[in-house]
Amino acid sequence: MQRHVVCISDTHNSHHDIKVPDGDILIHAGDVSWQGEREIYKDIDAWFATLPHRYKIIVAGNHDFDFYAYPWKHAIPLFDGDVSVLGLHIWGSPITPHFGSWAYMADRGASIKRHWDRIPMTPDIVVTHGPAYGILDKNRMGESCGCEELEQRLRVVRPMAHVCGHIHGGYGVTSVDGITRVNASTCNEDYMAVNVPIILPMPIQLTTGR
């Protein structure tokens, strides 16, 4: 049976401005807030309850301080962990390569690799806040900001899809090494919620939520 997975990310308190298409599962790849404001967590959790998707899967973003301390009622938060819903195995993590003083970061190299080594060989979808290196990861200066160690692990695990956000300028979909790659950033680099949700029919036939 085909399942429709709707992907969003980097909503930064603009979730009410998004026209979310129907689907079976909603994935949010992080950065729901500006700096971990609890009232935003409460509001988006209530917003999740209004959506028709049977399951909402979410990871924190680097803006989402104290995300995992919030008692999420209408979404399933993942931190280097997995869940199986509607026949799909989904693994998720908030971790991104270290920069500045934001949340859920690790240094490149061995430190961040320890997180990616936790990805099992079985997920259909891997969700991380940040992109893999060289794939939908360029900022407005044209610099690749993704994680090299994550890309190495994805090429071993070979999920059907990798869903991320974080680098707003990388929004889009592509296929690399037989893996469908999704950067679902809702906000552009000016923090305007202009990018539409991306729909993954599983088995995958890509469409957008227009």
Side-chain angles (χ1 to χ4, degrees), residues 128-140:
T128 61
H129 179 54
Y133 183 80
I135 302 168
L136 304 176
D137 71 334
K138 288 186 178 179
N139 61 20
R140 67 187 350 153

Side-chain angles (χ1 to χ4, degrees), residues 15-16 39-51 56 70 72-75:
H15 45 281
H16 291 293
E39 61 269 23
I40 295 178
Y41 294 162
K42 183 178 180 180
D43 188 66
I44 197 169
D45 195 29
W47 179 74
F48 284 144
T50 71
L51 300 177
K56 292 87 174 180
Y70 183 79
W72 295 94
K73 296 179 181 179
H74 304 292

Side-chain angles (χ1 to χ4, degrees), residues 3-90:
R3 303 295 187 183
H4 289 83
V5 180
V6 180
C7 305
I8 60 176
S9 187
D10 297 83
T11 52
H12 294 288
N13 200 31
S14 295
H15 45 281
H16 291 293
D17 297 330
I18 307 168
K19 183 179 180 181
V20 182
D22 291 348
D24 300 293
I25 300 168
L26 178 70
I27 290 176
H28 194 307
D31 275 359
V32 304
S33 69
W34 294 108
Q35 292 188 2
E37 297 87 351
R38 191 174 178 87
E39 61 269 23
I40 295 178
Y41 294 162
K42 183 178 180 180
D43 188 66
I44 197 169
D45 195 29
W47 179 74
F48 284 144
T50 71
L51 300 177
H53 313 79
R54 186 170 174 185
Y55 295 98
K56 292 87 174 180
I57 312 296
I58 190 168
V59 300
N62 59 296
H63 284 251
D64 297 330
F65 293 92
D66 299 321
F67 179 91
Y68 294 96
Y70 183 79
W72 295 94
K73 296 179 181 179
H74 304 292
I76 301 170
L78 298 179
F79 189 131
D80 291 3
D82 58 357
V83 65
S84 291
V85 293
L86 301 179
L88 293 174
H89 183 199
I90 302 170

Side-chain angles (χ1 to χ4, degrees), residues 79-132:
F79 189 131
D80 291 3
D82 58 357
V83 65
S84 291
V85 293
L86 301 179
L88 293 174
H89 183 199
I90 302 170
W91 188 95
S93 175
I95 301 300
T96 55
H98 193 94
F99 74 100
S101 299
W102 296 97
Y104 310 111
M105 296 184 296
D107 289 334
R108 294 178 185 270
S111 179
I112 203 166
K113 183 177 182 295
R114 283 194 288 271
H115 291 275
W116 309 141
D117 285 346
R118 296 170 185 166
I119 304 175
M121 295 297 295
T122 51
D124 300 298
I125 304 173
V126 171
V127 183
T128 61
H129 179 54

